[in-house]
Amino acid sequence: MTDYIDKRSASVPSVTRADVFDAALTLFAERGYHGTSLKQVAERLGIRTPGLYNHMESKSALLREIVLGTLDHVVANFDQVIAEVEDPVERLRAATEVYALHHATHPREVLVVNQDTSSLDEPERTTAQHIRRNHERAFRQIIIDGREVGVFAVETPKLASFAIREMCVSIARWFHVGGELTAQEVARQYSEYALSMVGAKRASARGAWRPAAAR
């Protein structure tokens, strides 16, 4: 009898909290939060559904961790890079580059945030929306500052901010590791596109900036 129990135990996959999180993240990105059941998460891990509760609180808690964790990461990276430079040209370059890089290197998280933030329970839904709005406003402020000092020639900073951010968001849908360009190369080129979109027109700390098409 003991031998039989040992064999049964040996056949059960060893699952960690990180495994559960990773499986849920993949399925949420592929099928959406509401299109994913805990049974599907368990099946992906090769365990029974009740076994998930050894590593998680609930399905909604997994979504909360994914969305708020991703937003916190995006904001922390943004705050770090803009704190290092004052020139609006370099600030926009750095802000766009780090934002684009995140979307190239964390596509699953990006897809879940963009499609399932509205599925969060309260108060987390309001918290996430507040974080996203504040990030957009901070991004927009860089463009406003650049226009005020005459280094950006852009008619509507708000529209330019949305356009740049949406351009970066699209990376998560098409970028694949091992393609023609690395994530870093894509992020760098997107930062150049952003400068072109706002009409950046003066020398910066990294040297004279010219539109990418003129190089």
Side-chain angles (χ1 to χ4, degrees):
M1 183 67 175
T2 302
D3 290 341
Y4 175 74
I5 293 174
D6 287 343
K7 289 177 182 179
R8 290 268 300 181
S9 300
S11 68
V12 176
S14 176
V15 173
T16 66
R17 186 178 185 283
D19 294 329
V20 173
F21 180 90
D22 186 70
L25 176 59
T26 297
L27 289 170
F28 289 174
E30 291 175 352
R31 306 179 182 186
Y33 174 74
H34 291 298
T36 301
S37 67
L38 288 182
K39 181 180 179 181
Q40 290 169 329
V41 176
E43 288 175 346
R44 192 177 188 91
L45 294 168
I47 63 175
R48 297 178 62 193
T49 304
L52 291 174
Y53 290 97
N54 295 323
H55 309 286
M56 51 163 268
E57 176 186 336
S58 64
K59 179 182 164 185
S60 61
L62 286 172
L63 180 63
R64 178 178 67 234
E65 184 176 351
I66 292 169
V67 173
L68 295 183
T70 298
L71 292 176
D72 286 344
H73 183 67
V74 166
V75 171
N77 283 344
F78 174 85
D79 289 344
Q80 179 180 350
V81 297
I82 68 167
E84 297 172 356
V85 290
E86 295 185 1
D87 173 33
V89 173
E90 288 307 310
R91 276 196 161 193
L92 184 60
R93 185 201 303 272
T96 304
E97 192 165 333
V98 75
Y99 195 56
L101 184 61
H102 178 84
H103 286 72
T105 55
H106 297 80
R108 294 179 302 168
E109 291 88 340
V110 169
L111 290 172
V112 173
V113 168
N114 286 326
Q115 69 190 10
D116 287 318
T117 293
S118 61
S119 297
L120 286 170
D121 294 332
E122 291 291 3
E124 287 81 14
R125 184 192 312 155
T126 297
T127 298
Q129 292 169 343
H130 180 72
I131 293 171
R132 297 181 81 177
R133 281 195 299 269
N134 282 348
H135 179 245
E136 190 283 319
R137 288 168 181 160
F139 208 102
R140 187 196 321 168
Q141 190 61 48
I142 297 173
I143 301 173
I144 293 172
D145 292 342
R147 188 177 69 166
E148 288 180 348
V149 298
V151 298
F152 294 156
V154 59
E155 183 177 351
T156 310
K158 183 175 183 179
L159 187 59
S161 173
F162 281 136
I164 292 169
R165 283 160 46 84
E166 285 300 309
M167 174 179 72
C168 293
V169 167
S170 71
I171 296 173
R173 295 192 292 269
W174 64 262
F175 178 79
H176 296 286
V177 175
E180 182 179 351
L181 298 172
T182 66
Q184 291 73 19
E185 288 168 339
V186 169
R188 180 191 62 77
Q189 290 193 37
Y190 269 53
S191 72
E192 300 287 346
Y193 301 153
L195 294 178
S196 293
M197 289 169 68
V198 299
K201 54 181 181 180
R202 79 165 175 79
S204 67
R206 282 169 62 171
W209 185 86
R210 291 177 295 162
R215 295 184 177 188

